Amino acid sequence: MGVVGNSESEGRNMASDSPLLLGTAQRIVGLYDGKLPVFNMFGEEGSTLYDNFSRNDRSEVPEFLRVGGPDPKQVLELCCGNGRTSLPLLEAGYELVGLDSSPHMLARLAARFEEPEWQPYADKMETVEGDMTFFSLDRQFDLVVLGTSTVWMLSADARTSLFKSVYEHLKDNGKFLLTLMHFPSLGSSPLELATPFIGQGTTGPALCTLYDHVDPSKRVRATSILAHHIEDGRISRSGMYATSMNLITPDELAAEIEQSGLTFVAQHEVERGQLVNQSAKTDPNTRHWVLLEAHRKPL
Ligand SMILES: C[S@@+](CC[C@H](N)C(=O)[O-])C[C@H]1O[C@@H](n2cnc3c(N)ncnc32)[C@H](O)[C@@H]1O
């Protein structure tokens, strides 16, 4: 595995009014009077919990395959993380370079390649620890994919840098596919979904609640997992595992993509599975998923 970028801080205690926490998660941290540790969702323990609830979700993969085509030769997956989308893409015949800034998420992916189901694909994917906003892989790809609204984790300047890097890493006529959540009829009031699940922490099982809080007026979304870790039949410790994002609409992103020199081609609908809470699935006017397709046209 090559190393070309930054890694993350793990286990830092953040104030309860940190921008990484909103709504119920923020209030819970307040109740603990600053004594509930707040961790990065993609750090060591958070990545294990993320992997628990997302690993069997194949959402976005059919659209990546349909729009990406049956056999692109060289594919770069940005923010591949635990391989949630990488593994089914490998199964479909793609060969991948996966880039992610979290060594912990890449460790989850490496662990998956130890599983009998995925062992045969281990030599079909190369992973790189790096930052999607600035990377230089010294090669160009037929296809670059970036899923799961991860583009929302970036500021406007960082997105400009991302799209420039993507442009430079695409061959002529290469495709860039970006998926994100879209709220076509979001009002101005905050919206929150809470999903309980039993996760597996690094030391044992954990009782978890995933809080997904969207604040349209602030144009932010905060996703936080409250986890109570169980050891010897009792809660041994608790923590909040958090990440936050900027809400950018598909139209805004399409305009930014055009400014980078890429040509915006189409917006496609995406069938999303279990990462989205059941109540959201039954209300497609409130949130649904889209795939943005852009090409690098020859000069
Ligand atoms: C929501 S997860 C997506 C993981 C996986 N692709 C999936 O679909 O489930 C976001 C991923 O983006 C990574 N990430 C966040 N910011 C990044 C950056 N600036 N550069 C590279 N990776 C980044 C995180 O480490 C994490 O693995």
Side-chain angles (χ1 to χ4, degrees):
M1 182 192 295
V3 178
V4 296
N6 63 336
S7 63
E8 306 169 282
S9 61
E10 165 72 358
R12 72 199 156 102
N13 277 288
M14 294 185 289
S16 60
D17 60 354
S18 162
L20 279 174
L21 295 167
L22 295 170
T24 305
Q26 185 184 40
R27 290 202 298 281
I28 290 170
V29 170
L31 287 176
Y32 276 80
D33 206 14
K35 296 189 181 74
L36 183 70
V38 180
F39 298 90
N40 186 318
M41 172 89 78
F42 306 116
E44 185 174 3
E45 188 97 44
S47 62
T48 307
L49 298 174
Y50 180 88
D51 187 43
N52 290 164
F53 74 81
S54 72
R55 55 166 43 213
N56 295 319
D57 178 6
R58 294 184 171 222
S59 306
E60 301 159 88
V61 173
E63 290 79 15
F64 281 150
L65 292 171
R66 186 174 56 76
V67 184
D71 60 350
K73 304 274 178 295
Q74 311 257 3
V75 183
L76 171 63
E77 182 179 8
L78 297 173
C79 303
C80 61
N82 59 333
R84 183 187 69 80
T85 45
S86 326
L87 297 173
L89 289 175
L90 293 171
E91 190 179 49
Y94 281 19
E95 296 200 3
L96 297 176
V97 174
L99 180 141
D100 200 283
S101 59
S102 166
H104 306 289
M105 290 292 277
L106 291 174
R108 299 319 313 150
L109 173 57
R112 300 228 49 198
F113 282 125
E114 301 290 317
E115 297 169 10
E117 182 184 3
W118 301 111
Q119 263 172 10
Y121 300 99
D123 64 348
K124 304 283 183 203
M125 183 166 183
E126 179 190 335
T127 55
V128 177
E129 188 185 321
D131 190 328
M132 68 170 143
T133 61
F134 181 76
F135 57 94
S136 182
L137 302 177
D138 282 334
R139 53 196 275 205
Q140 289 181 310
F141 296 84
D142 301 294
L143 180 62
V144 177
V145 301
L146 172 59
T148 330
S149 302
T150 309
V151 70
W152 279 351
M153 295 179 78
L154 301 179
S155 65
D157 285 349
R159 291 195 301 275
T160 302
S161 180
L162 162 73
F163 297 140
K164 181 169 174 287
S165 293
V166 169
Y167 182 92
E168 286 165 359
H169 284 80
L170 274 176
K171 296 177 186 170
D172 280 348
N173 296 314
K175 295 178 184 175
F176 176 41
L177 309 183
L178 171 70
T179 59
L180 73 148
M181 199 187 277
H182 179 37
F183 299 91
S185 56
L186 196 60
S188 55
S189 307
L191 169 75
E192 185 169 284
L193 300 170
T195 309
F197 67 101
I198 298 174
Q200 185 65 33
T202 54
T203 52
L207 306 179
C208 300
T209 307
L210 172 69
Y211 295 97
D212 183 0
H213 187 99
V214 174
D215 189 332
S217 59
K218 296 189 182 125
R219 300 199 72 185
V220 288
R221 176 185 181 207
T223 307
S224 317
I225 299 174
L226 172 64
H228 299 298
H229 299 273
I230 310 291
E231 280 173 84
D232 291 330
R234 62 182 61 200
I235 293 173
S236 58
R237 62 200 164 84
S238 302
M240 190 70 82
Y241 302 84
T243 187
S244 63
M245 291 154 264
N246 305 298
L247 292 182
I248 318 294
T249 66
D251 286 350
E252 288 166 336
L253 281 171
E256 291 180 7
I257 286 170
E258 281 276 343
Q259 277 169 10
S260 73
L262 292 165
T263 303
F264 179 72
V265 173
Q267 176 175 315
H268 307 269
E269 291 298 309
V270 172
E271 274 293 319
R272 252 326 263 207
Q274 68 201 52
L275 269 187
V276 177
N277 182 295
Q278 293 301 323
S279 59
K281 270 175 34 182
T282 58
D283 186 7
N285 292 327
T286 304
R287 76 171 71 186
H288 66 133
W289 283 78
V290 296
L291 181 150
L292 304 185
E293 177 184 4
H295 294 181
R296 177 176 166 153
K297 299 276 191 207
L299 291 174

